[in-house]
Amino acid sequence: MLKYTSVFYDLMVRSWPYTCVDQWSGFVHSVRKYTSGSPEEFISINREALESEYVSSNLHHWVDLIFGYKQRGKQAVEAANIFYYLTYEGAVDLETMEDELQRSAIEDQIANFGQTPIQIFRKRHPRRGPPIPITHPLRFAPSSITLNSIVSSTSSLPSAVLYVGISDSNVVLVNQGLTMSVKMWLTTQLQSGGNFTFSSSQEAYFAIGADVVSPRRIGSPLAENIELGAQCFTTMQTPSGNFLVSCGNWENSFQLIALNDGRLVQSVRRHKDVVSCVYVTSDGSILATGSYDTTVMIWEILRTKNSEKRTRNIIPTEFNNRKDCVIGDTPFHILCGHDDVITCLYASVELDLVISGSKDGTCVFHTLRKGRYIRSLQHPSGCQLSKLVASRHGRIVLYAEDDLSLHLYSINGKHLNSCESNGRLNCIELSSCGEFLVCAGDQGQVVVRSMKSLEIIGRYSGAGKIITSLTVTQEECILAGTKDGSLLVYSIENPHLRRTSVSRSLKIKASGT
C-alpha cells in the first residue's frame, strides 16, 4: 500500500495538472491490476492514499505549487511549474478587448486549457505536524489498548449488562432487569484541538467515575417472547436534555427516559405491534424504530431553530413545528418491504440511507429523505439477521447467530467478503472513525476487525467473562458489559499508572515476606 501511496503523491504534486496523463494511466492500470479489477478495492486504495499519513505530511508542497509561492516567478521556474501566460489571473481583460476574433480565440484557449488558480500565499506553507498516536490508537497503535480496569456490579443480584452507551461525559448502562445506571466517564481534559485529541505534554487518563444517577428501574413490563438486547436501547442528546430510548414493552410503544433523573418523559405508540429495535442517527436529528409489525418508522428529534435548519431538507414542513415533546408525535416516513419482524436498524443523514434487517434474513435499503425503496439483500444462508452495522464509506456488515459468520457488503449490495466469527457474537459496534469493527461475545474477548476486509487487527482479553454489550468511545476506548454485570474498560495504556501499580504490588509482596 505504501508503494501506491507514494506514487499517488508524486503524481499529484509533481505532475499537476495536465502533463501527467500517461503517468496517471500507468498508475490506474497498476492499481487496477493490484485490485483484480474490483472497483470497490480500487476506490478504497485511492481513498486510503488520499487520506494517508504520507500524503497529509507532504501536502504543503502541493499547496505551494497550486496556491502558494511556487505558482509564479523564479520559484515557479525552478519547480517547473510554468504554464501558458493566458491561464494566469489578470493576464488578460476580456471586457476591454475590442477585437472579436482575438477575444474568441482567447476564450477558446481558456475553455480548452483552463485557468491557473488565484495565488493565495506568498510564503512557504507550513508542514503539518506528526500525528499523536493517542488520538487514533486503533489505527496507529492498537497494541497500546489494554484492559485497564474492571468495574464490578453494584447490584446484590448481578445480571447481564444489555446496553452500554456514552452520552456527553456519562456512561449509560442498562442491565437485564431493566435497571438503568449513569456513571461519569473520566478522561484527560484537553488544551486544544477538539474534544478528543491530546497534546504531547499530557498523559492519557480514562476511568469510570461515581454514579450520576443511582440505579433505578425503567420501562413498562416486557412483551412476551421479546429478546432484549442492545438493539432495544439507544441514547440521544437534545437541547432539552439527554435521554435513553427504550422499547420492547407490551404496549407497543417506545419510551424516552431522562438521564439526569430517570423519569419517563415521553411514550410514543404508533406501531401496531411490539417495537423491537431503535436507532438514532450520528447527528442526533432522526430516530428510526423497527417493529414486529414489519414496518420501520422514521421520527423527527425536535431540536433548536439552528438544528431545525440542518434537517430542513429531510423533515417535511408539517412535522417541523412540534414543540410540546422531544419526539414528533407522528412519523414522517413509514417504510415497508419486510415480511417478518424487524431485528436490526441503521440510519444515516450523511448517506441518506435507512437499512433494516428482519427475522427472515432480508435486508432492505430505503432513502432517508424521501423514504424511497432502493434494494434488498438476502443473507447468504437465509438466516435470521441478528445485527448489522454500516460505515460512512458505505461498507455494511451483517451477522446472523445461526451461521456464526460476518458478511461484508458494499452500499450497492455487492458481496465483498465473509468470515467466521469463531463463536457467538453478542455485540458488534463501529469505531468512531468507521474504519474498524469491534466484536465480542461468548468467547470472552474483544476482537477488532478492519471494515475494509474483515481482517483481524487486534484481540483483547475479556478476563474470562462473557461479554454481552459494548461501545467504542470517541477516544477509541472500549467499554464492555458482561454477563455477570461487570464493566470492562479497555483504554490507552498509561505507562506512569502501570509503573505505579507495579511498584505498589512489589511493595506489598516485599512486606508480605
Side-chain angles (χ1 to χ4, degrees):
M1 184 60 229
L2 180 60
K3 168 187 173 184
Y4 291 106
T5 299
S6 59
V7 171
F8 188 97
Y9 165 77
D10 289 340
L11 288 175
M12 180 180 68
V13 173
R14 299 177 184 172
S15 304
W16 98 279
Y18 300 107
T19 59
C20 57
V21 175
D22 292 338
Q23 295 97 316
W24 272 115
S25 298
F27 173 74
V28 169
H29 177 74
S30 178
V31 174
R32 189 173 294 169
K33 183 178 179 182
Y34 175 77
T35 59
S36 303
S38 167
E40 292 81 15
E41 187 69 14
F42 178 79
I43 291 172
S44 177
I45 284 182
N46 277 272
R47 179 186 289 123
E48 190 172 346
L50 274 171
E51 298 175 357
S52 70
E53 174 55 29
Y54 184 88
V55 169
S56 295
S57 61
N58 287 280
L59 200 59
H60 61 291
H61 296 309
W62 179 82
V63 174
D64 289 338
L65 287 170
I66 311 306
F67 305 104
Y69 81 106
K70 289 184 180 181
Q71 190 196 86
R72 299 189 183 195
K74 180 180 177 181
Q75 291 83 2
V77 174
E78 292 175 352
N81 194 37
I82 298 297
F83 300 95
Y84 191 60
Y85 79 98
L86 286 179
T87 67
Y88 290 95
E89 180 195 20
V92 63
D93 186 359
L94 292 175
E95 298 299 327
T96 60
M97 191 169 293
E98 297 180 357
D99 189 332
E100 291 295 331
L101 183 62
Q102 185 181 10
R103 177 173 178 166
S104 177
I106 292 176
E107 288 178 342
D108 289 342
Q109 168 73 25
I110 293 173
N112 284 278
F113 190 87
Q115 289 182 288
T116 305
I118 298 172
Q119 186 177 17
I120 300 175
F121 308 109
R122 309 294 177 180
K123 297 180 180 180
R124 291 177 183 269
H125 198 276
R127 178 175 182 171
R128 197 208 70 176
I132 303 172
I134 200 172
T135 60
H136 296 289
L138 288 178
R139 178 184 301 173
F140 294 111
S143 60
S144 68
I145 298 178
T146 59
L147 176 58
N148 293 107
S149 62
I150 301 177
V151 181
S152 301
S153 172
T154 57
S155 173
S156 57
L157 296 174
S159 59
V161 179
L162 297 179
Y163 175 76
V164 181
I166 295 287
S167 180
D168 280 343
S169 57
N170 296 327
V171 180
V172 183
L173 305 172
V174 180
N175 70 9
Q176 199 162 23
L178 283 184
T179 299
M180 180 190 77
S181 59
V182 182
K183 300 177 181 293
M184 293 184 66
W185 173 234
L186 306 176
T187 64
T188 306
Q189 295 301 309
L190 313 179
Q191 295 175 354
S192 62
N195 292 332
F196 294 103
T197 55
F198 300 83
S199 72
S200 57
S201 63
Q202 291 177 304
E203 287 189 351
Y205 177 75
F206 309 96
I208 302 295
D211 285 341
V212 177
V213 176
S214 58
R216 60 193 63 199
R217 174 85 180 182
I218 61 169
S220 304
L222 296 178
E224 188 177 359
N225 298 324
I226 184 72
E227 282 191 37
L228 274 185
Q231 77 280 358
C232 296
F233 307 94
T234 189
T235 57
M236 64 183 196
Q237 301 177 26
T238 74
S240 58
N242 299 333
F243 303 92
L244 173 75
V245 184
S246 171
C247 68
N249 57 65
W250 65 272
E251 59 184 18
N252 305 340
S253 69
F254 62 90
Q255 301 176 334
L256 275 67
I257 297 101
L259 293 181
N260 61 338
D261 56 13
R263 64 188 173 87
L264 177 63
V265 174
Q266 188 178 357
S267 180
V268 182
R269 182 180 179 182
R270 290 289 179 176
H271 282 284
K272 296 180 180 179
D273 208 333
V274 176
V275 181
S276 52
C277 49
V278 291
Y279 189 92
V280 171
T281 57
S282 59
D283 70 340
S285 64
I286 303 294
L287 170 69
T289 59
S291 170
Y292 277 51
D293 65 12
T294 75
T295 67
V296 174
M297 292 188 182
I298 309 299
W299 309 78
E300 173 192 7
I301 298 175
L302 299 179
R303 317 292 293 177
T304 61
K305 292 182 179 179
N306 290 336
S307 296
E308 285 173 1
K309 291 179 181 178
R310 187 179 62 222
T311 60
R312 185 180 299 166
N313 294 330
I314 299 175
I315 313 298
T317 305
E318 61 267 27
F319 298 109
N320 275 340
N321 299 319
R322 314 280 188 183
K323 297 185 181 298
D324 55 342
C325 50
V326 180
I327 298 290
D329 57 7
T330 305
F332 64 87
H333 286 318
I334 300 178
L335 307 178
C336 303
H338 288 281
D339 295 321
D340 212 332
V341 176
I342 309 297
T343 55
C344 45
L345 279 175
Y346 169 81
S348 169
V349 172
E350 187 178 11
L351 296 177
D352 187 27
L353 194 63
V354 179
I355 307 175
S356 50
S358 59
K359 194 172 183 179
D360 62 3
T362 304
C363 186
V364 179
F365 293 61
H366 289 86
T367 61
L368 181 58
R369 280 186 173 83
K370 297 184 178 180
R372 181 173 57 85
Y373 170 83
I374 303 174
R375 68 177 57 85
S376 297
L377 297 178
Q378 190 69 29
H379 184 278
S381 304
C383 300
Q384 171 182 334
L385 291 180
S386 305
K387 298 171 178 62
L388 71 83
V389 294
S391 74
R392 65 175 184 267
H393 295 319
R395 295 293 178 99
I396 300 153
V397 174
L398 307 180
Y399 171 73
E401 292 181 357
D402 292 342
D403 74 342
L404 299 180
S405 294
L406 296 165
H407 303 281
L408 178 66
Y409 290 85
S410 74
I411 197 172
N412 295 320
K414 181 179 178 181
H415 180 259
L416 302 177
N417 198 12
S418 294
C419 70
E420 294 182 359
S421 60
N422 299 320
R424 177 180 173 179
L425 298 179
N426 298 319
C427 38
I428 59 175
E429 295 290 336
L430 279 181
S431 63
S432 57
C433 65
E435 296 181 13
F436 303 99
L437 182 70
V438 185
C439 316
D442 292 351
Q443 63 271 40
Q445 62 178 349
V446 175
V447 178
V448 178
R449 296 177 180 270
S450 165
M451 275 296 284
K452 176 183 174 183
S453 62
L454 297 181
E455 175 188 1
I456 294 178
I457 304 298
R459 296 178 186 270
Y460 306 101
S461 170
K465 298 178 181 290
I466 294 176
I467 298 173
T468 53
S469 58
L470 62 81
T471 190
V472 184
T473 71
Q474 289 285 346
E475 310 96 329
E476 294 184 359
C477 298
I478 301 169
L479 306 180
T482 68
K483 190 174 182 179
D484 65 2
S486 301
L487 183 63
L488 310 180
V489 181
Y490 298 83
S491 57
I492 303 163
E493 188 175 23
N494 189 320
H496 174 72
L497 294 178
R498 183 180 64 178
R499 287 195 299 269
T500 302
S501 63
V502 169
S503 62
R504 285 179 179 175
S505 63
L506 289 176
K507 288 179 181 179
I508 292 172
K509 290 182 180 179
S511 61
T513 55

